[in-house]
C-alpha cells in the first residue's frame, strides 16, 4: 500500500511558528515519525511539503494510478484553493484532510475549506496525532484497486 502525505505552506516551520497553536515539535521530527509509522505498519509513505500551490497540484496529479490514499494538510490553501480541490477530484484517490489546530474555533476566514468536498474525512484540532489518525483510516480502508 502506498500513501502520500502532503503538507502545504509554512508547515515546514512547525516547532517555530505559533507554537501555542501548532505545538513545539519540529517538522523534521514529524517527518521522522511518519517514516517510523511506515516501517512499523509495512506501508510506503511518500512525504512532500511545498509552499507553492502549483507544486502541490503537480504532486496530486503525479499520484494518479500509483497511490492508495492521500493525507493532506493544505494549510492556508485550504481556505483559498479551487485548484487543489479540482486536482483531488481529478485523481479520485481517497483523501483525508488534516488540520493540526481546531480551525472550527478560529477566524471566520478559516471556516471555508475548498478541499473538504473532495475528502472522505476531516481531522481537526488533534495536533500532530491527526496525521496518524488519517493514516490509520486510510490503512483500514484498504487499497484503491
Ligand atoms: C492549518 C490551519 C490553517 O488555517 C493554517 O493556514 C495553517 C495550518 C492547521 O494545520 O491547523 O497553516 O492547516
Amino acid at each position: 500500500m502506498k500513501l502520500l502525505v502532503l503538507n502545504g505552506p509554512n508547515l515546514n516551520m512547525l516547532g517555530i511558528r505559533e507554537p501555542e497553536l501548532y505545538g513545539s515539535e519540529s517538522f523534521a521530527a514529524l517527518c521522522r515519525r511518519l517514516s517510523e509509522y511506515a516501517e512499523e505498519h509495512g506501508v510506503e509513505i511518500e512525504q512532500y511539503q511545498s509552499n507553492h500551490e502549483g507544486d502541490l497540484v503537480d504532486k496530486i496529479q503525479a499520484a494518479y494510478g500509483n497511490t492508495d490514499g492521500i493525507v493532506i494538510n493544505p494549510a492556508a490553501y485550504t481556505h483559498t484553493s479551487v485548484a487543489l480541490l479540482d486536482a483531488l477530484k481529478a485523481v479520485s484517490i481517497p483523501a483525508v484532510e488534516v488540520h493540526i489546530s481546531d480551525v472550527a474555533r478560529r477566524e471566520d476566514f478559516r471556516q471555508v475549506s475548498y478541499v473538504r468536498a473532495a475528502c472522505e474525512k476531516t481531522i481537526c484540532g488533534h495536533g500532530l496525532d491527526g496525521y496518524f489518525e488519517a493514516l490509520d483510516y486510510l490503512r483500514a480502508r484498504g487499497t484503491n484497486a
Side-chain angles (χ1 to χ4, degrees), residues 2-25:
K2 182 176 173 194
L3 302 170
L4 173 64
V5 177
L6 279 180
N7 277 300
N10 302 306
L11 289 168
N12 55 315
M13 300 288 284
L14 283 180
I16 298 166
R17 72 180 292 213
E18 301 176 274
E20 66 288 359
L21 283 174
Y22 302 116
S24 56
E25 195 170 340

Side-chain angles (χ1 to χ4, degrees), residues 9-11 17 22 73-76 78-79 98-103 106 110 131:
N10 302 306
L11 289 168
R17 72 180 292 213
Y22 302 116
N73 183 346
T78 307
H79 318 299
V98 170
H99 298 288
I100 299 164
S101 65
D102 188 359
V103 281
R106 296 182 62 193
R110 295 186 205 272
Y131 289 91

